[in-house]
Amino acid sequence: MATHDNTEHVADATDEAVGWESKLRYFLNSDFVRSAPYWGIPFVLMSIAVYGGIGYNFAISFTDYEGLGTPDYSALDLEMYAQALSSDAFVSAAQNNLVLLVAFTTVCLILGLFLAILLDHGIRFSEKFQTVYLLPMSLSFVVTAQLWLWMFNVESGILNLVVTTLGFNPVDWLGNPSIALGAVIFALIWQFSGYTMVVYLAGLQSIPNDQFEAARVDGASITRTYLRIIVPQLKEASVSAAVVLMVFALKAFTFLYALVGRYRPPNGTDILATLMVRRAFKFGEWAYSAAIATMLLVMALGVIGPYLYYQYKQGSL
Amino acid sequence: MVEHDSSDGSVNRRKYLKALTVGAAAGLAGCTGGGGSETEATEGGSGSGGSGDDTETGGSSSGSTWDSQLEVLHGWAGGDGEAAVTALIEAFEEEHPEMDTNFQAVGASANVNLNATILRRLANNNPMSSFANWPGKNLERYSGALMDLEADVWDAEGFKDTMQARAVELCKFNDKMPAVPLGSHRMNNLFYNTAVFEEAGIDASSLDSVDALLDALEAIDQNTDVTPMAQAMVAPWTNLQLWAQILTSQSGVDAYTNFIEGNPDRAAVVEALEALKTINENYITADASSISFTTAGQKVISGNAATIHQGNWVYGMFRADDSFNYKEQWDWIPFPGTEGIYFYHVDSIVAPSNNPSREETIAWQKFVGTKKAQIAFNNPKGSVPLRTDIDPSELTDFLAMTYEDLTDSEAYPPTIAHGLAVTPKTMGACKTAFGDNFMGPFKVEATADALIEAVSE
């Protein structure tokens, strides 16, 4: 009885003693704290560089900050957002962005899949073809933009050489506002379809041969085999390729800037990124540009968000 | 197997993270160290800036020592501009061999990168010593961040007496004088290939109005295989400046002045746009929309186009080609209908306030206004000095002629497409008016509305 009492007492005592000394020691010895120098520093750096930047951008977008000087945080409102949404330039840039996003991503995926299936059939020199298709992806936008600028030239460009040889009138690819966006999308597809091809090819090559054989034994045609058996298994590859392509479409700024060497891209190809940079660095309208940047971020999150949720549901996150 | 793999992996990961942390720590230390030394440098700079001042008042320019680096940003990264700025820098280094200088060319195309870099650095409170930019209303862009050079440079060197009065006015901004003019380009030019004009049977001296110009372009189109005019439309400013010439030619300098002052006459604006539409639809090269003015100028040199309207920076380009000479292969007339007018453009060097190298900047700005600097720079650039006491024989023939016009014309309207006439915002709106509505198809009414809105705001 006495011992029992005693032990209880001891237990109570340890509980009290754990109070701060041992608790602190336990805490300091925990994995969380001991590993902190390793993940903590990068975390802090990341937070400042990325999330701090986003936060600052967000804050500026509510002010009227313009020109040189300092932003005034005393009167915060949504005026810049309202101004952007009611401006024709913003609306048409957003439309162009959307068209670019959808057309570019869709065509890239379809073309990439087609090329991947061809290469997966073990055609002769397939490795070399693979390199040929992937090469544009490895080139910088600055290089490809200059290349396409030459090819789009009305008088001496190779595209018009083809068009006129076929007996049509020369086309003003970049000068005609109703064609220009199509021309830009075409150039971007040329550059990125190789990437989707590689992603799909990796997916295709991980599918065992048995499935093709089984399908053949069951008498399925090649089209049917691909449509019903193979392509559905490429869902993962499609989703990840699509996300990368869409994010590229949102920031096609580099290509457009390299194409003309200025912040104003050819008529009819203005996208949110070019509009934002132009308003900020040509006119110093920091608050207005920050508002556009925030909306661009929301659009990018709109693309990435569902993907992350999908990954989370799949258990990959 | 799997276990082994993962433990191996974790060791690697640990090593990697350790390396990363060490790297990050070193980086941080480096940053703080760098910051420290930078503060020291500026402190030392401002401290000994005083001693630099002493030497200066001592009167000997050769014996002076400099403590801070002179950092100058400019946009002349290629062609005639590069040659001109190199000549200017060489002349400056001859004068001040001991000064630590850093001349940076930022981008090439129409100062886009240069202006963005300047704006960014001034907004981040990280000013350079000086930068190249247009004076006049263009300085609005840097409002509140400009140094006053009036006492230290303008009065000290007596530039107010030796520079053109118009240039002195343009260098004043909000009661300060933050800029020193470097040279002037003339805007109302028509350059032409003499062989083509001869073939088409055109007497250039008879071109005295826009209608005469249109007739001549038609004659070239009919009588030769050459495209009548080279026009660069990759950016809208070329259309804007050509339109300004046509407006002035058709309706007079007053119509143009009223326009830039915010009292536009719609009928005159539309009439000029109609003429420009006629030119752009019928007489320019098919690839205009994708070429820059340098490519357009090359077309005149190669004989693929008969004429070009541009500021006389294309002279800098023509001059670089030994087989294409003034009065032989090419010639010049003032833009038809603008005889006696010198359409005014000025390049200048501007100093920001909170200057990192006050004494060095002052010495450099003083140098920019000297005869030596203005002759060294302007000859290769194709522009003319703004000092009134230059001996024209120091300039090339073409520039000597332009220089005489600069000092002796009836009117000097400031250029709209190059920052002098209107604020950067209005200039941007005018360019957008052309960019949105006049790059083919050419919508006269919509462009006129946008232009009038731009200046009336």
Side-chain angles (χ1 to χ4, degrees):
Chain A
M1 205 47 195
T3 33
H4 184 240
D5 264 343
N6 200 15
T7 34
E8 223 172 33
H9 187 73
V10 168
D12 275 351
T14 28
D15 245 19
E16 263 171 44
V18 162
W20 65 277
E21 274 187 345
S22 322
K23 256 188 190 165
L24 186 66
R25 197 177 308 127
Y26 278 131
F27 178 69
L28 285 179
N29 277 329
S30 70
D31 285 350
F32 178 77
V33 173
R34 286 176 63 193
S35 62
Y38 301 105
W39 58 261
I41 292 172
F43 181 77
V44 169
L45 288 177
M46 266 301 263
S47 306
I48 295 171
V50 178
Y51 304 104
I54 293 175
Y56 185 50
N57 176 73
F58 203 58
I60 286 181
S61 71
F62 294 124
T63 67
D64 298 329
Y65 187 21
E66 200 179 346
L68 304 169
T70 44
D72 169 22
Y73 296 107
S74 58
L76 302 180
D77 52 29
L78 290 168
E79 191 201 327
M80 290 300 157
Y81 291 88
Q83 204 180 317
L85 288 172
S86 64
S87 105
D88 293 342
F90 177 84
V91 172
S92 79
Q95 275 170 356
N96 287 340
N97 233 149
L98 198 70
V99 172
L100 181 71
L101 189 85
V102 174
F104 165 69
T105 312
T106 319
V107 179
C108 261
L109 287 177
I110 294 172
L111 196 67
L113 179 63
F114 177 69
L115 291 173
I117 289 174
L118 287 187
L119 286 177
D120 191 45
H121 271 259
I123 56 167
R124 208 179 280 230
F125 305 122
S126 65
E127 289 87 358
K128 278 151 194 110
F129 278 117
Q130 206 171 316
T131 317
V132 168
Y133 289 131
L134 193 59
L135 206 60
M137 171 83 186
S138 69
L139 295 175
S140 144
F141 271 142
V142 180
V143 176
T144 55
Q146 187 60 51
L147 218 68
W148 280 97
L149 188 64
W150 287 330
M151 291 202 273
F152 283 139
N153 187 302
V154 178
E155 283 187 343
S156 53
I158 189 156
L159 287 183
N160 271 345
L161 204 69
V162 174
V163 169
T164 45
T165 315
L166 293 175
F168 297 102
N169 285 328
V171 181
D172 193 355
W173 300 99
L174 293 175
N176 187 337
S178 47
I179 302 178
L181 186 61
V184 168
I185 293 176
F186 186 74
L188 288 173
I189 289 170
W190 168 82
Q191 187 159 8
F192 281 94
S193 53
Y195 165 75
T196 37
M197 179 207 71
V198 169
V199 173
Y200 276 129
L201 198 58
L204 282 174
Q205 283 169 351
S206 69
I207 296 173
N209 276 339
D210 316 3
Q211 296 188 9
F212 289 92
E213 280 161 22
R216 201 163 52 227
V217 170
D218 288 347
S221 69
I222 291 186
T223 339
R224 231 180 135 76
T225 313
Y226 272 103
L227 280 182
R228 290 292 170 85
I229 301 168
I230 306 305
V231 173
Q233 298 191 56
L234 294 173
K235 204 166 71 182
E236 290 271 333
S238 305
V239 171
S240 55
V243 167
V244 170
L245 291 175
M246 284 185 198
V247 173
F248 260 107
L250 284 176
K251 54 178 204 180
F253 170 81
T254 326
F255 183 84
L256 290 169
Y257 177 66
L259 197 64
V260 285
R262 57 192 69 235
Y263 296 144
R264 189 192 167 80
N267 253 5
T269 63
D270 202 12
I271 59 173
L272 290 178
T274 47
L275 181 69
M276 171 186 77
V277 173
R278 203 161 67 233
R279 302 306 291 202
F281 293 104
K282 242 176 127 169
F283 303 113
E285 297 172 3
W286 311 113
Y288 185 76
S289 313
I292 299 178
T294 308
M295 289 189 265
L296 196 57
L297 178 74
V298 169
M299 283 177 78
L301 286 179
V303 173
I304 297 280
Y307 173 67
L308 291 181
Y309 181 69
Y310 168 80
Q311 291 281 41
Y312 173 74
K313 275 187 77 177
Q314 300 274 316
S316 323
L317 263 184
Chain B
M1 187 63 192
V2 170
E3 217 165 283
H4 173 78
D5 255 347
S6 79
S7 82
D8 202 42
S10 79
V11 166
N12 277 340
R13 195 164 63 233
R14 248 180 233 166
K15 274 187 188 159
Y16 175 65
L17 278 177
K18 212 177 264 180
L20 206 68
T21 321
V22 170
L28 269 181
C31 282
T32 20
S37 69
E38 205 166 68
T39 351
E40 270 163 40
T42 24
E43 271 166 16
S46 57
S48 41
S51 76
D53 202 5
D54 288 344
T55 343
E56 199 65 32
T57 43
S60 81
S61 64
S62 59
S64 57
T65 51
W66 307 101
D67 301 290
S68 308
Q69 190 187 53
L70 177 78
E71 185 189 16
V72 180
L73 266 57
H74 62 84
W76 296 298
D80 48 297
E82 190 184 12
V85 81
T86 308
L88 181 67
I89 293 168
E90 273 169 12
F92 179 68
E93 284 174 349
E94 237 169 63
E95 203 86 346
H96 297 287
E98 283 130 53
M99 197 190 290
D100 180 17
T101 57
N102 177 13
F103 291 90
Q104 288 182 42
V106 185
S109 58
N111 298 344
V112 172
N113 278 335
L114 176 70
N115 291 347
T117 308
I118 295 165
L119 196 59
R120 182 166 47 76
R121 285 187 55 176
L122 294 186
N124 291 342
N125 213 356
N126 174 24
M128 61 303 286
S129 307
S130 293
F131 56 85
N133 235 269
W134 304 314
K137 296 246 169 67
N138 178 55
L139 295 175
E140 191 76 44
R141 210 187 283 261
Y142 313 112
S143 179
L146 295 170
M147 181 174 171
D148 190 7
L149 302 170
E150 184 161 9
D152 292 316
V153 176
W154 283 86
D155 291 340
E157 296 291 299
F159 284 161
K160 281 179 185 165
D161 302 323
T162 46
M163 294 284 177
Q164 278 220 325
R166 264 171 305 278
V168 177
E169 281 311 306
L170 284 168
C171 288
K172 284 185 182 154
F173 182 74
N174 287 353
D175 302 327
K176 287 183 183 177
M177 297 195 72
V180 175
L182 186 55
S184 168
H185 282 295
R186 185 181 189 158
M187 297 301 302
N188 53 325
N189 312 293
L190 192 73
F191 296 93
Y192 62 93
N193 188 311
T194 49
V196 181
F197 263 43
E198 216 163 278
E199 191 188 340
I202 294 164
D203 175 16
S205 62
S206 71
L207 300 181
D208 57 358
S209 66
V210 172
D211 286 336
L213 173 68
L214 290 176
D215 290 343
L217 294 176
E218 179 63 26
I220 297 167
D221 201 29
Q222 295 296 322
N223 303 343
T224 69
D225 296 332
V226 179
T227 311
M229 197 164 187
Q231 170 76 319
M233 294 207 300
V234 72
W237 60 268
T238 48
N239 269 329
L240 176 61
Q241 65 176 21
L242 181 51
W243 169 80
Q245 301 307 322
I246 297 175
L247 175 71
T248 311
S249 172
Q250 286 176 333
S251 309
V253 177
D254 288 344
Y256 175 74
T257 312
N258 287 338
F259 178 81
I260 57 176
E261 284 172 355
N263 311 305
D265 171 8
R266 196 171 191 285
V269 168
V270 169
E271 192 190 359
L273 284 170
E274 291 286 359
L276 183 57
K277 181 183 176 181
T278 310
I279 293 175
N280 282 350
E281 278 183 347
N282 301 303
Y283 304 124
I284 63 171
T285 57
D287 61 355
S289 62
S290 59
I291 62 171
S292 65
F293 83 86
T294 45
T295 317
Q298 286 298 338
K299 285 177 185 285
V300 178
I301 295 180
S302 64
N304 290 324
T307 60
I308 186 169
H309 160 264
Q310 269 299 337
N312 59 5
W313 40 80
V314 295
Y315 164 67
M317 210 176 112
F318 288 175
R319 189 168 175 256
D321 190 323
D322 289 335
S323 61
F324 199 69
N325 299 315
Y326 176 48
K327 295 272 182 205
E328 292 168 23
Q329 284 81 17
W330 67 270
D331 208 341
W332 170 95
I333 51 168
F335 189 81
T338 64
E339 205 157 345
I341 299 174
Y342 184 103
F343 239 89
Y344 210 59
H345 163 284
V346 177
D347 272 324
S348 70
I349 303 286
V350 186
S353 58
N354 197 4
N355 205 284
S357 59
R358 192 184 149 75
E359 297 309 320
E360 287 77 2
T361 304
I362 289 171
W364 155 249
Q365 294 281 5
K366 281 179 177 173
F367 174 75
V368 168
T370 60
K371 274 189 192 177
K372 184 180 176 183
Q374 303 237 324
I375 291 170
F377 179 81
N378 286 304
N379 262 333
K381 184 73 174 71
S383 46
V384 288
L386 285 153
R387 288 180 67 109
T388 48
D389 55 355
I390 302 279
D391 178 3
S393 67
E394 302 248 29
L395 304 170
T396 64
D397 289 352
F398 177 72
L399 292 182
M401 178 205 71
T402 312
Y403 182 68
E404 273 159 26
D405 283 352
L406 174 73
T407 48
D408 185 30
S409 282
E410 293 155 22
Y412 298 85
T415 167
I416 187 169
H418 300 87
L420 300 188
V422 291
T423 61
K425 206 163 240 181
T426 307
M427 185 177 82
C430 288
K431 285 188 196 171
T432 307
F434 278 95
D436 285 349
N437 308 306
F438 216 77
M439 305 295 266
F442 304 100
K443 299 175 211 149
V444 170
E445 294 296 326
T447 313
D449 290 342
L451 280 173
I452 285 165
E453 201 194 320
V455 289
S456 306
E457 262 169 14

